[in-house]
C-alpha cells in the first residue's frame, strides 16, 4: 500500500502487480510533464512524458494520465518488476519556459517485493 | 546515445573551501544547462539555468555569489560552491538541453558533495 509521512511517500507492491504512482502539480500554466525514475546515487532517468493537450499516453509497460482539472498526474506501471524499485518523480515545465527548466514533485519510493 | 557527464561523482571537502563541479555534454551541443540540488529523501530543486556565453539565471532563494555558474562553451557548464559549509552538503545534478539531437533533455549522474 501507499503511505505518506514526513519523508518520501512509499508504495510497496508485489512483483507482477500493477503500480500506480500519483503526483499533484502546482502550476496551472504548466503544459509539459515528465515522469522520472531515480535510483540511489544516480541522476533521474526519463520514463515517459505528456503534453497538456493530451489526457493519456502509453509507453512500454507504463501509462501516464493527466487530469488538468484537478492538476493531477499519475504513472501506471504494469506487471511491476523488482528492477522497477526506485524513487519516481513527476516534473512540470511551465508554458513558455525553456524545456529543461523543470519543477519536480515530491517523489514516491516504489519497492517491489518478489 | 547522448550522455551528460558530471565530474567529480563524489567530493569531500573542508568547511570554507570552494568546490567546482563540471557538467559536460558528450556528443551534442547544449546552449542551456540546468543545475539542481537534492537533499536526502527529498526532491530535486532547480537552482539555476546556465546559458552559454551569458550570465546564469538563478531561482528565487539561491545565492548567486555562493553558487557560481560558468557556461563558457556549448558543452561545458561548471558550478562552484564557494566557501562551502556543512549545510551545502547535498547531491548536485546537472541537465543539458540539446540543440543537435532529436531527444532534447539529458541528466548527469550527479555529484555528492560532503562538507566536513
Amino acid at each position: 500500500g501507499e503511505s505518506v509521512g514526513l519523508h518520501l511517500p512509499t508504495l510497496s507492491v508485489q512483483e507482477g502487480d500493477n503500480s500506480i504512482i500519483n503526483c499533484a502539480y502546482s502550476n496551472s500554466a504548466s503544459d509539459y510533464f515528465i515522469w522520472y525514475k531515480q535510483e540511489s546515487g544516480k541522476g533521474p532517468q526519463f520514463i515517459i512524458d505528456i503534453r497538456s493537450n493530451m489526457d493519456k499516453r502509453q509507453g512500454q509497460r507504463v501509462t501516464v494520465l493527466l487530469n488538468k482539472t484537478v492538476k493531477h498526474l499519475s504513472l501506471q506501471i504494469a506487471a511491476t518488476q523488482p528492477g522497477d524499485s526506485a524513487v519516481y518523480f513527476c516534473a512540470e515545465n511551465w508554458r513558455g519556459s525553456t524545456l529543461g527548466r523543470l519543477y519536480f514533485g515530491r517523489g514516491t519510493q516504489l519497492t517491489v517485493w518478489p | 546515445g547522448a550522455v551528460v557527464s558530471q565530474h567529480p561523482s563524489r567530493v569531500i571537502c573542508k568547511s570554507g573551501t570552494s568546490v567546482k563541479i563540471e557538467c559536460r555534454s558528450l556528443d551534442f551541443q547544449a546552449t542551456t544547462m540546468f543545475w539542481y540540488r537534492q537533499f536526502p529523501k527529498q526532491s530535486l530543486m532547480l537552482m539555476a539555468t546556465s546559458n552559454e556565453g551569458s550570465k546564469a539565471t538563478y531561482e528565487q532563494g539561491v545565492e548567486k555569489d555562493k553558487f557560481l555558474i560558468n557556461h563558457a562553451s556549448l558543452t561545458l557548464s561548471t558550478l562552484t560552491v564557494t566557501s562551502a559549509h556543512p549545510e551545502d552538503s547535498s547531491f548536485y545534478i546537472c541537465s543539458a538541453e540539446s540543440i543537435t539531437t532529436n531527444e532534447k533533455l539529458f541528466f548527469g549522474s550527479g555529484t555528492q558533495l560532503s562538507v566536513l
Side-chain angles (χ1 to χ4, degrees), chain A residues 34-36 38 87-90 104-107, chain B residues 38 42-44:
Chain A
I34 310 174
W35 277 101
Y36 285 97
Q38 186 182 31
V87 179
Y88 289 80
F89 293 98
C90 68
F104 282 75
R106 191 176 174 190
Chain B
Q38 185 178 30
Q42 294 190 24
S43 188
L44 284 76

Side-chain angles (χ1 to χ4, degrees), chain B residues 6-8 11 18-24 33-38 45 47-50 56 58 62-71 76-82 88 90-94 111 113:
Chain B
Q6 252 185 269
H7 179 79
V11 57
S18 295
V19 174
K20 181 185 284 189
I21 302 170
E22 291 186 348
C23 180
R24 291 182 184 274
M33 292 184 175
F34 305 86
W35 288 96
Y36 294 83
R37 180 169 52 182
Q38 185 178 30
M45 186 193 79
M47 299 175 67
T49 301
S50 169
Y58 290 82
V62 178
E63 301 173 59
K64 61 180 181 182
D65 295 329
K66 172 76 172 175
F67 299 100
L68 300 180
I69 292 173
N70 183 275
H71 193 156
L76 174 64
S77 175
T78 61
L79 169 69
T80 301
V81 183
T82 62
D88 298 323
S90 186
F91 193 53
Y92 292 87
I93 307 170
C94 72
T111 297
L113 170 64

Side-chain angles (χ1 to χ4, degrees), chain A residues 28-75:
Chain A
S28 56
S30 295
D31 65 354
Y32 179 56
F33 305 87
I34 310 174
W35 277 101
Y36 285 97
K37 172 185 179 182
Q38 186 182 31
E39 297 174 336
S40 182
K42 297 183 179 180
Q45 175 187 348
F46 175 92
I47 301 174
I48 192 168
D49 60 358
I50 188 168
R51 294 208 170 270
S52 60
N53 60 354
M54 302 174 70
D55 297 322
K56 179 179 179 179
R57 190 154 188 244
Q58 288 184 290
Q60 187 176 14
R61 278 203 309 123
V62 294
T63 301
V64 54
L65 298 178
L66 175 63
N67 185 330
K68 295 180 287 294
T69 303
V70 295
K71 291 189 286 188
H72 182 269
L73 205 63
S74 70
L75 175 70

Side-chain angles (χ1 to χ4, degrees), chain A residues 38 98 100-101 103-105, chain B residues 36 38 43 59 97 104 107-108:
Chain A
Q38 186 182 31
T98 187
R101 192 167 177 227
Y103 296 91
F104 282 75
Chain B
Y36 294 83
Q38 185 178 30
S43 188
E59 295 296 308
E97 198 172 309
K104 293 300 179 187
F107 276 85

